[in-house]
Amino acid sequence: MDAMQQHMIDRYRAARLGEPAPPVPGTHDVVTVRGMRDYRRFEAVLAGRLATGRLRAALAHLIAPRHSRRPPACP
C-alpha cells in the first residue's frame, strides 16, 4: 500500500471518529531537511570545522582546473 492510500484510509478513520485529519504525506519534508542541515552545521562548529560552504569547497577542489606545466600557446 502506498503512502497516499494509507493517508486516505487514515483520513476516513479520522472523519468517522471526529478527529482532525492527518497531514498529507510530504507536508513536513522541507522542515525536516532544514532541521537536518542545521544540526549538521551545529556539529561542524562543535568539531571546529567550517559550518557553511563545505560541500561547495569540496566540489570546487575536485572540479578546479589543474595547472599545466606547459607554457601558454602563442597568439
Side-chain angles (χ1 to χ4, degrees):
M1 184 178 312
D2 72 346
M4 193 50 112
Q5 288 175 338
Q6 183 63 48
H7 173 70
M8 295 301 285
I9 292 170
D10 291 342
R11 188 174 172 140
Y12 174 75
R13 179 194 50 79
R16 300 258 313 177
L17 297 175
E19 298 174 354
V24 177
T27 302
H28 303 292
D29 290 352
V30 173
V31 175
T32 302
V33 170
R34 284 183 183 155
M36 290 171 32
R37 181 194 62 197
D38 292 344
Y39 182 75
R40 287 181 54 98
R41 286 180 178 174
F42 176 70
E43 288 290 318
V45 169
L46 290 181
R49 298 186 312 263
L50 291 175
T52 60
R54 294 185 300 155
L55 179 61
R56 184 173 288 167
L59 290 175
H61 179 72
L62 292 174
I63 297 173
R66 305 279 188 241
H67 297 290
S68 65
R69 296 176 187 248
R70 292 184 287 161
C74 294

